Structure formats: C-alpha cells, structure tokens
Amino acid sequence: MVKMSNRETQTDVILIGAGIMSATLGTLLKELVPDWKITVFEKLPDVGEESSNEWNNAGTGHAALCELNYTVEKPDGSVDISKAVNINEQFQISRQFWSYLVESKRIQNPEDFIMPLPHMSYVYGERNVQFLKKRFEALSQNPLFEGMEFSDDPEKLKEWIPLMMEDRTVTEPIAATKIDSGTDVNFGELTRLLFNHLKDNQVEVHYNHSVNTLKRTNDGLWELKVKNLDSGIVERQTAKFVFIGAGGGSLHLLQKSGIPEGKNIGGFPVSGLFLVCNNQEVVEQHHAKVYGQASVGAPPMSVPHLDTRYINNKKSLLFGPFAGFSPKFLKTGSMFDLVTSVKPDNLMTMLAAGAKEMSLTKYLIQQVMQSKEQRMEELRQFIPNAKSEDWELVVAGQRVQVIKDTVEGGKGTLQFGTEVVSASDGSIAALLGASPGASTAVHVMLQVLKKCFPQHINEWESKIKEMIPSYKVSLVENPDLFRELHASTSKTLGLSEHSPNSDDSLDEESKVFEQV
C-alpha cells in the first residue's frame, strides 16, 4: 500500500536524474542565479551511476577528431565535414566551461576527469584509404582540426600504433590520421565533481527517490509525486521548472508530463558491450583512441574503436562496442520499458520504424548471438595477436535512440544524436537520445536555457560569456580566437602540451580575445 505524505515542498527548479546533463544544467543555473532553490531526485543510491558512469559510456570527449561517421562522402566524391565541425565547436564550449570551473576553484584537479590523448582514425582497403585521405584534406584546412596528420606508410603507423601493427600482415592498403589535441574524459568522475560542488552550494540531492507522476497545476507549477524507495513514502514536490535528465528513463517521464511536444515520439533501446584488457603489459603498449569504420549495414553507434581510457586513475584499454539488445531503457530498468513506452500517439511511428529498420534488427540479432571468440576475431582486426585470456567482456550502458516522424526521413525515423524536447512555455524540458551526448552537454544545456528561460537569457549573457568566451561567436570564422581559447583552456585543464600552436606565453594571443 502506498504511503502518502501530507507534506508538499516547493522549489524553483527540479532536476530528475543525477547524471552529467543535470549536473551541467544545475551548475550553470547556480552560476547564473545563485539564489534559486534547486532540488535533484535520483532513483539510484549515488550520482552518475547510469549513462554517465565511466564504464557505461565511451568517454571519448567527442570532438569529431576521429569519428568517421561524422564525415560523409557525397555523391560527387567530396567529403561533407559540416557535422564534424559543428560537434567540434560544441565540444570547445564544454572545454571552456570546464576551464572556467577549474579557474574559479569549483573543480580542483582537472586531471581527475580529463587527460590528453591522441585521437586517430584507421582504415584498410584502397577505397577506404582514398576516403580517409579526402577526409583529412578537408578537415586539415579547417582551423578546428589543425595539427592532424595522415599516413599510409606502414613504418609510420608502427610508430603511431605499435600494438596494432605488431605481427600484422599488410596485404592491402592501410592508413590512419592522428591528431594529438584529443582527450579522454571520465564523465562519471566529472558528474561526481559537479554534484559535490552543487551540494556544497545548497542544492538538495535526494538519492533512492523515484518520480512517479508529473502534472501541471492550475497555477502553472509542476507537481511531482516522488517516492522514497527506502521508506516507501510518497511526497508531493512542486516547481516552476522541471528538467528530465534521466537517460533512458526520460521518455517515460516525458510521456507522463502530457505535453503535446512529447507526442508521437518513441524510443529504441540498444545495449553495448566492450572487451576490456586485463593484461597491463598490453595496456601500456597502446596510447590513443583509434576509431575504425562500421561494417556494412551496421548503425553509426556501432563504429569499432580501440580506446585508451583513464578510469580510477588507472590506464585501461577497451575495444568495442558490440551491440546487444534488452527491452530495458536503463541498465537498472524494467523488462517492460519498451512495451510500456508504446502509446496510442506513437504506435504508428513505432510500427513504421520497425518496418524500416529490418537491417538494424538483423544486425542486433547477429551481434547478440556472437560468442566471445567471434568478438575476439573482430578485435584482431585491430590487434592481430590479441589473446582471449587477456580480455574480458563488460556490459556498458543502455542507450535509447529517438524514433520520430521527420520531413527528411518520413514516418518512424530512427534518430542518432541528442535531442531536447521542451514545452512551448518553457516550464519543462527533457533530454532524449545518445551520442555525442555528454561531450556536448554544455552546448545542449545552453539550448535548454535559451528555450526555457527566454525572459532571463539576455540578462544572463554577460555571465555566460565570462564562463564561455566564444558564446554566440563562430570559432571556425574566428580562427585566431579559437587558437587563443584552445591554448588557454589546454593550459588550465593540463592539456597544454597538445594544444595546436600552443605557447607558454599567451600575451600576444590575448589581444585577439579582447578585440572579439
């Protein structure tokens, strides 16, 4: 029997889910309006335990430096780099905000969450090598990708990726690009650091609390019924603004809100698995994130990559992802998540997606049926002499891809990316989707602020520019500003040795920033 409490608590902002998105939005709001009361409800016992956890995401610091699926070859043979440029700009916004937090002592040690690491793309086969070279030529002319190198010389590749080239029989052309300004980001640790700061600044974080219902009250507030999973007591919480940042759980909560903007949207869950190396001698032989190409018919989120990671202050090596399938929307979710997400308003959208995505269904079935040895064979395309006993399989986080009707794709189009759905009056917003997600969290949360607080955004602008100096400025169109900011954030975040055109002295470049 549900135990209802008579107590009702009112707050300014409620954040549902204690992941990187809520952490970022909460931190931005605390900087902009310190006196607003913010309350967070998290279903699990701690922050950053689902999608943001370091074992549940790739931790790449997606800057499109190595992800081949962000650059598309057009029918005329040229390479469209617009998506890569857009994502890189968004990542630069995250870097600037993180740098501000370090400079203002909100975060003490940046090496706890971000480390410099080369990003590489690797291909084989004549046609793929030609594509990579064209991609390199297009990107290297852009200031955001300065310092990128290309090589199809096996001897040079032995210097770059010795573990991958050892015992490799080269029977077809191979090539790689390398850029030293990449990073490895531990989003789980960053989430914990941000929430530690928030809790020190009067933000209430309630663990083991599940939001059961959301409804709009007559006076324009949102009323939530929140269950304390330890005591079983349900309390009423009201707020002027609600942000749903619950990872895969966001779709159900968006549906419960009843806002028209949440209609006709479905979700398709995809699980991920990684091979993790448990032989430290092997781990030490590789120092890069190396992205390959997805196999024919495979979805973009299945791009294979061999990643150096820093987890719990220890260097690790991961390979994957291998796709899995579970009807759960969260690792800690219910087996009925997918079924219960189908509503009368999104039924036709979901059915249309099912008919369209037969190749994805076939791919997932094949992936689920793979043995460990079959997965090891895929790894051996990257590391020819990989030994099964050196690697173990770990289950990563659940990702829920958005399904909706679009002008370009028609009914039931599967979306690959991150998406914000907000009410027309800005009183509630939900984050859906997956990669590049965490890497572009600051950009995405700025969009939430713009959509949901239009009455405040102009008065906040000077503070936002203090935190993010390139706010409202295109870095591509202002390459000198990009170089100045990249060098300064690299220095603050401990990445300076890998900054393009970095210099111990920033005096000359600072003049450029002052002019902008």
Side-chain angles (χ1 to χ4, degrees), residues 437-453:
S439 301
T440 60
V442 182
H443 165 80
V444 175
M445 292 304 103
L446 286 174
Q447 298 309 302
V448 170
L449 293 179
K450 187 176 178 181
K451 283 183 175 182
C452 298
F453 300 99

Side-chain angles (χ1 to χ4, degrees), residues 30-169:
K30 264 296 163 186
E31 295 296 316
L32 295 168
V33 276
D35 57 332
W36 279 12
K37 185 179 179 185
I38 300 174
T39 306
V40 184
F41 295 107
E42 169 55 52
K43 190 169 71 170
L44 299 180
D46 204 351
V47 304
E49 287 298 289
E50 265 283 355
S51 302
S52 302
N53 186 271
E54 49 268 49
W55 289 107
N56 289 342
N57 69 62
T60 302
H62 283 287
L65 300 173
C66 55
E67 303 93 333
L68 294 170
N69 54 307
Y70 293 149
T71 46
V72 180
E73 188 169 11
K74 295 190 285 189
D76 65 1
S78 63
V79 177
D80 182 357
I81 65 169
S82 58
K83 186 173 183 180
V85 171
N86 189 35
I87 289 173
N88 191 289
E89 285 239 21
Q90 293 177 19
F91 184 67
Q92 301 306 326
I93 289 172
S94 291
R95 280 178 58 121
Q96 291 171 53
F97 183 57
W98 300 337
S99 181
Y100 164 82
L101 294 174
V102 172
E103 286 179 335
S104 56
K105 307 300 182 187
R106 273 66 167 165
I107 292 177
Q108 300 300 322
N109 301 308
E111 64 271 18
D112 287 343
F113 75 92
I114 189 168
M115 295 288 283
L117 192 69
H119 281 200
M120 298 181 62
S121 302
Y122 163 77
V123 300
Y124 52 88
E126 186 172 348
R127 192 180 185 289
N128 292 333
V129 170
Q130 289 175 354
F131 164 73
L132 186 65
K133 189 166 189 180
K134 286 191 288 188
R135 176 184 183 272
F136 160 74
E137 289 167 351
L139 288 174
S140 57
Q141 293 175 25
N142 188 291
L144 303 186
F145 297 86
E146 284 178 358
M148 182 177 282
E149 301 174 72
F150 171 90
S151 182
D152 55 7
D153 177 5
E155 292 304 311
K156 173 58 74 172
L157 298 185
K158 285 179 183 177
E159 295 176 20
W160 287 357
I161 40 175
L163 181 65
M164 290 176 61
M165 294 302 291
E166 187 178 348
D167 297 336
R168 181 176 295 279
T169 304

Side-chain angles (χ1 to χ4, degrees), residues 101-308:
L101 294 174
V102 172
E103 286 179 335
S104 56
K105 307 300 182 187
R106 273 66 167 165
I107 292 177
Q108 300 300 322
N109 301 308
E111 64 271 18
D112 287 343
F113 75 92
I114 189 168
M115 295 288 283
L117 192 69
H119 281 200
M120 298 181 62
S121 302
Y122 163 77
V123 300
Y124 52 88
E126 186 172 348
R127 192 180 185 289
N128 292 333
V129 170
Q130 289 175 354
F131 164 73
L132 186 65
K133 189 166 189 180
K134 286 191 288 188
R135 176 184 183 272
F136 160 74
E137 289 167 351
L139 288 174
S140 57
Q141 293 175 25
N142 188 291
L144 303 186
F145 297 86
E146 284 178 358
M148 182 177 282
E149 301 174 72
F150 171 90
S151 182
D152 55 7
D153 177 5
E155 292 304 311
K156 173 58 74 172
L157 298 185
K158 285 179 183 177
E159 295 176 20
W160 287 357
I161 40 175
L163 181 65
M164 290 176 61
M165 294 302 291
E166 187 178 348
D167 297 336
R168 181 176 295 279
T169 304
V170 180
T171 58
E172 57 184 334
I174 60 173
T177 57
K178 174 174 174 283
I179 185 164
D180 288 332
S181 57
T183 55
D184 176 65
V185 184
N186 183 330
F187 286 106
E189 184 59 27
L190 178 58
T191 301
R192 291 187 284 273
L193 290 169
L194 292 178
F195 268 108
N196 286 341
H197 165 65
L198 290 173
K199 285 184 281 189
D200 288 343
N201 285 271
Q202 288 78 52
V203 171
E204 294 183 11
V205 183
H206 298 277
Y207 303 115
N208 298 312
H209 278 67
S210 176
V211 176
N212 291 349
T213 62
L214 308 86
K215 71 174 184 179
R216 201 73 189 271
T217 62
N218 293 331
D219 54 1
L221 299 176
W222 282 95
E223 181 184 273
L224 284 64
K225 288 184 179 177
V226 185
K227 184 177 183 179
N228 182 327
L229 299 178
D230 292 327
S231 67
I233 295 173
V234 175
E235 291 187 355
R236 290 182 179 85
Q237 301 276 344
T238 60
K240 300 170 187 173
F241 172 73
V242 175
F243 173 70
I244 305 173
S250 291
L251 179 59
H252 280 110
L253 290 168
L254 175 63
Q255 291 172 334
K256 287 179 179 180
S257 74
I259 63 172
E261 293 81 3
K263 305 292 185 187
N264 305 312
I265 296 176
F268 185 79
V270 178
S271 177
L273 301 95
F274 280 88
L275 284 168
V276 179
C277 186
N278 54 33
N279 184 335
Q280 206 60 29
E281 288 184 16
V282 175
V283 173
E284 295 299 331
Q285 293 175 53
H286 185 77
H287 187 73
K289 289 184 182 291
V290 183
Y291 272 58
Q293 283 183 306
S295 56
V296 177
M301 69 275 203
S302 66
V303 174
H305 44 99
L306 181 67
D307 285 6
T308 295

